[in-house]
Amino acid sequence: MPNRKFNPLFLALVLVLLVSACQQPEKELREKLYVFGTIVEITIRDKDEAAARAALRDVAADFRRMHKDWHAWKPGELSTLNAAIAAGKTAKVSDFLLSLLLQAQRYERTSDGLFNAAIGALVADWGFHNDDLPKGRAPPYAAIRAWVEAKPKVADLVIRDHEVSSSNRGMQLDFGGFAKGEALDRAVLQLKAHGIKNAILNAGGDLNVMGLHSKRPWRAGIRHPKTWGVIATVDLKPGEVLYTSGNYERFLEYEGVRYSHIIDPRTGWPVKHIVSASVIGRNGADADAAATALSVAGPSGWHRIARRMGVKFAMLVDDQGRIYLNPAMKARIQLEDEKAGEVILSPPLF
Ligand code: AMP
Ligand code: MG
């Protein structure tokens, strides 16, 4: 008769095998994709390399579609709508575009019009719609004044089911202020659908994170507006995002003056005082829009707009190197150089 006696050695061996199967090391898979003129680096930490590769393939296909359909200046659904608006006509939009229009209206409302996705014609006047940096001079004063007086805003859209027109023919939609966030949010949904739990998506310092980096949080750097380094580091919790709007990213340089690609819709002129605004949040598109809006709001208005937009963590840097932040943000970040600039702490945001 075989010996049925319990063999502790055998059990130990089985346990070791089981544990090592569960602890199969996570692999790190890294891929660079391209959307909206930016390289998006996606790093996935997962045991299942095949699932990660399949997820990346689907994200790449989505990015290609978004790049085409959301581009305000290249042939696609958005440029078709812009052409219809300019001609005083109605266009039928997809669910996809409709949800973006409604989103843009919400950002416009909560930012008191500082985030204005109807700013396309002005962005074009300044030359920021080209892939290359604009050259030449600022647009004529009269053109800027005419745009400001026409007051185009996303609220001018007349939306009936999927039929869209505008009561203001001077409006041209440009989703540049939140498209990157929206694209990364959609990529996260795609990765989740493939069962991916741990990843970081990095579009030139704008980030969405999923899960953890092995057992610790993903650590991110907030870009320094003047140098190529980082001004502060922060540990991002699972599902958090970090977005920075910087007037150094794209600009027009003319007679020694730099004009930023972030434009104040109240004046039609580029933002000067704030050189960067960073927001930590839980949704990429919301944080992206908020970072742009806070740049426009400036030192005196950012706190009120941040509250209205539901921002919990924000940091702004002005052209004198002053750092404005709310107490919760201060508690989360580690400044690289404590003496980098005067730190101005605001009242709490929440
Ligand atoms: P971001 O880098 O996210 O701040 O987005 C900047 C882009 O948003 C610009 O290149 C324009 O396409 C667009 N933009 C500029 N000014 C505004 C504004 N006041 N509201 C909304 N979008 C803007
Ligand atoms: Mg933005």
Side-chain angles (χ1 to χ4, degrees):
M1 223 180 120
N3 181 6
R4 289 186 180 271
K5 227 175 88 189
F6 172 70
N7 183 342
L9 257 181
F10 175 71
L11 181 69
L13 184 66
V14 169
L15 275 178
V16 167
L17 286 175
L18 267 177
V19 169
S20 59
C22 294
Q23 284 184 340
Q24 196 189 1
E26 275 183 351
K27 293 200 183 80
E28 193 164 288
L29 195 68
R30 205 168 279 175
E31 183 88 83
K32 284 196 176 108
L33 303 173
Y34 177 85
V35 71
F36 306 132
T38 316
I39 292 171
V40 182
E41 187 176 73
I42 302 184
T43 307
I44 296 179
R45 293 184 64 87
D46 204 278
K47 292 170 191 164
D48 185 348
E49 199 180 325
R53 287 201 185 283
L56 284 170
R57 264 198 306 278
D58 284 355
V59 171
D62 267 2
F63 279 180
R64 275 196 296 276
R65 190 164 54 99
M66 287 179 215
H67 189 79
K68 180 174 172 293
D69 283 344
W70 301 4
H71 209 294
W73 317 110
K74 292 185 181 161
E77 208 191 349
L78 184 57
S79 62
T80 304
L81 175 60
N82 275 335
I85 289 171
K89 293 192 176 139
T90 300
K92 197 170 166 68
V93 301
S94 63
D95 286 343
F96 198 50
L97 183 52
L98 183 64
S99 72
L100 293 178
L101 297 176
L102 298 176
Q103 222 164 311
Q105 287 188 329
R106 176 162 61 87
Y107 297 141
E108 184 171 280
R109 256 192 330 270
T110 53
S111 70
D112 283 352
L114 301 186
F115 188 91
N116 182 338
I119 205 160
L122 194 56
V123 172
D125 279 349
W126 278 98
F128 292 122
H129 63 284
N130 294 317
D131 287 340
D132 306 323
L133 282 187
K135 290 195 178 70
R137 50 179 67 215
Y141 283 85
I144 297 174
R145 211 173 317 119
W147 188 90
V148 172
E149 277 165 15
K151 283 197 178 59
K153 48 190 181 312
V154 192
D156 295 332
L157 287 176
V158 181
I159 303 176
R160 283 202 188 87
D161 195 10
H162 286 67
E163 305 281 332
V164 180
S165 61
S166 173
S167 58
N168 189 333
R169 285 171 69 163
M171 77 176 292
Q172 288 286 282
L173 294 157
D174 173 354
F175 295 148
F178 72 104
K180 212 195 278 180
E182 183 66 29
L184 294 199
D185 289 345
R186 284 175 191 249
V188 164
L189 290 181
Q190 190 70 264
L191 296 184
K192 275 189 186 157
H194 280 271
I196 305 296
K197 295 200 169 53
N198 304 302
I200 186 162
L201 298 85
N202 180 354
D206 288 332
L207 308 161
N208 279 41
V209 308
M210 298 169 65
L212 299 166
H213 176 281
S214 53
K215 290 193 175 64
R216 58 178 176 77
W218 292 98
R219 174 158 294 176
I222 299 178
R223 280 173 293 168
H224 195 294
K226 294 248 167 81
T227 67
W228 283 108
V230 296
I231 191 165
T233 50
V234 57
D235 283 342
L236 292 174
K237 297 180 185 147
E240 279 194 328
V241 304
L242 166 67
Y243 280 74
T244 298
S245 266
N247 72 4
Y248 49 87
E249 287 175 81
R250 289 176 68 70
F251 50 81
L252 162 72
E253 194 147 6
Y254 180 63
E255 293 183 338
V257 182
R258 274 192 179 190
Y259 298 97
S260 123
H261 68 141
I262 301 167
I263 300 174
D264 187 335
R266 295 168 297 190
T267 62
W269 285 81
V271 165
K272 258 169 85 178
H273 202 72
I274 292 298
V275 290
S276 86
S278 304
V279 169
I280 298 174
R282 300 205 67 87
N283 174 284
D286 291 358
D288 195 353
T292 306
L294 297 189
S295 299
V296 180
S300 59
W302 75 267
H303 190 263
R304 192 178 65 82
I305 298 298
R307 275 204 142 146
R308 274 180 58 69
M309 296 189 88
V311 171
K312 301 275 189 284
F313 307 96
M315 179 175 103
L316 283 75
V317 182
D318 75 8
D319 53 358
Q320 304 300 310
R322 282 182 287 250
I323 300 168
Y324 304 80
L325 31 64
N326 64 306
M329 183 65 156
K330 183 160 192 283
R332 295 236 12 216
I333 61 161
Q334 198 132 33
L335 284 171
E336 283 295 283
D337 175 5
E338 292 289 344
K339 296 185 208 80
E342 185 190 352
V343 173
I344 300 167
L345 203 60
S346 75
L349 277 173
F350 60 98

